[in-house]
Amino acid sequence: MNTTGSGFFRSLFRRPLAAIAVVTTLVAGMLTIQLAVESPPQARAASSVGGSISRTEVIARAKYWYDRGDTWYSQDQSDAISDGTGGKYRPDCSGLIAMAWHLPKKSDGWDLNTDDFHSYSGKAWLSSLHDLQPGDAMLRDGHVELFEKWVDAGDHTRGSWVYSENDYGQKTNHNTDSWSEMNTYRGIRYDKIVNRTSGPDGADFNSDGVGDIFSAATGTLTIWNGKGSNNFAAADLIGGGWGPYSRPIAGDFDGDGISDLAAVADGKLHIWNGKGSNNFAAAIVTGPGWTPYAATLLSLGDVNKDGRDDIGAVSEGTFYVWNGKGDNKFGAADAIGPGWSIYSRPIGGDFDGDGIGDIAAVNAGELHIWNGKGSNNFAADVVTGPGWAPYAATLMTIGDIDSDGRTDIGAISDDMLYTWSGRGDNKFAAADVHGPGWAPYF
């Protein structure tokens, strides 16, 4: 147990006193929910200054500056701007990278400049621009930019999305660089960045940075690869023989940055390590004792802030967490708290954009979200609004399917797939409807 006393368990299920603005929308006869958008949401720190940091948090920190709308360029350290988590950084190109990577100040109190980054011992040069991953940076003499993602993961020559501070009279930019522009830079990587972008965000089996949907309910593992903009490729039938297994979950259980699968059969947890391109290695059997948790097994992302994906489940009303150790191993079960029998099967995701895994579940038609605080602890539930009863049984985390860097969720109702794009800070857009033909899979 990481918490003591009954007060924690009361707070875990307490409705927040502050009212949450909700807009209800009727889509195809189904009630959907859209929370009022407030910009910019307050940033949260999963990392510490100079410590390890996930790629998700690096991008979230850069986006926080962009969303502020007041990060006017300056090379003067006295003009430093808040990172939203208690620190302040100089709003020029190198200050943006220092802020996003959560770097400490130099001995003179200034943030690193571009010359410093050339010689900075806490970074590594990438051998190729093709090796860039979200949260890396591109450095040249006099300028540096933060790499967010490829415009087209299948064709890098179409360029990339970047965050940058460019010149006086401008604020933080979020724009695309052409491939020719990119080739004026060299890629660099922070030594303490955690090579995980989508652990809390669902599956990405083809490693293109877009969330995928998957199911084995028919006995055949089927994957729909996300194409961005809430669109999906045709179903890819991976293979049969899944009938004996529980509903599979996705996560990076071996720490290689590629989504894996896990499921229970005969009381044993099986893990299939992803190899990219919707391919998987043979199953690894981790051990017995998993039968009580099979029906509610879920991937949580990183809830203890060690950079590894964790899993959870509910048994006899108590929520349990197993912290991932990498190499397909997990720590002993940690009983987080009772009272979960009134909720639908929970799902995991990073719904507030702070890089720490959160939990979501439905009760009495309302969606509840418990934001992770690290060390397997969670804040009191945030209740987002009514209308979720039709989706409770099939609610799932689907990764980032619209390529905006936020966790999205989905569900099946009346043979249709509904997806809700995450807005960060526990908010979602109105439902996008896809289908029909989804009921046999979920």
Side-chain angles (χ1 to χ4, degrees), residues 32 35 41 86 91 138 165 193 206 223 242 245 279 383 387 406 412:
T32 64
L35 288 164
M138 299 187 298
E165 288 275 357
I193 201 165
N206 60 348
I223 295 174
W242 286 84
Y245 295 92
N279 295 314
V383 185
R406 305 180 181 99
I412 310 300

Side-chain angles (χ1 to χ4, degrees), residues 104-278:
K105 300 287 188 282
K106 297 189 294 183
S107 59
D108 61 4
W110 281 60
D111 297 311
L112 297 179
N113 58 40
T114 52
D115 287 341
D116 295 324
F117 272 110
H118 277 277
S119 58
Y120 179 49
S121 62
K123 65 96 174 57
W125 293 100
L126 301 181
S127 59
S128 169
L129 290 174
H130 293 291
D131 295 332
L132 285 164
Q133 297 183 43
D136 292 337
M138 299 187 298
L139 177 64
R140 68 186 181 197
D141 288 343
H143 194 57
V144 63
E145 297 186 337
L146 186 75
F147 176 87
E148 182 197 16
K149 60 186 177 183
W150 296 104
V151 170
D152 183 346
D155 182 5
H156 293 178
T157 63
R158 294 186 61 187
S160 63
W161 281 93
V162 298
Y163 286 98
S164 61
E165 288 275 357
N166 293 334
D167 204 351
Y168 286 96
Q170 297 182 24
K171 299 173 285 188
T172 304
N173 289 278
H174 182 222
N175 57 273
T176 59
D177 278 355
S178 68
W179 180 245
S180 60
E181 173 71 10
M182 290 180 66
N183 274 277
T184 66
Y185 296 91
R186 292 182 64 189
I188 60 173
R189 177 168 298 158
Y190 182 37
D191 284 352
K192 294 185 179 180
I193 201 165
V194 176
N195 193 26
R196 180 181 57 78
T197 59
S198 60
D201 298 337
D204 180 15
F205 299 121
N206 60 348
S207 302
D208 65 351
V210 182
D212 305 325
I213 295 177
F214 64 100
S215 168
T218 63
T220 296
L221 177 63
T222 306
I223 295 174
W224 296 262
N225 293 125
K227 298 164 59 180
S229 303
N230 295 342
N231 295 313
F232 299 91
D236 187 0
L237 277 61
I238 306 304
W242 286 84
Y245 295 92
S246 65
R247 175 187 51 83
I249 63 173
D252 182 14
F253 306 125
D254 59 356
D256 66 352
I258 304 174
S259 293
D260 310 317
L261 286 170
V264 175
D266 296 327
K268 297 178 181 179
L269 182 66
H270 296 65
I271 297 176
W272 296 262
N273 291 135
K275 300 194 295 181
S277 302
N278 296 344

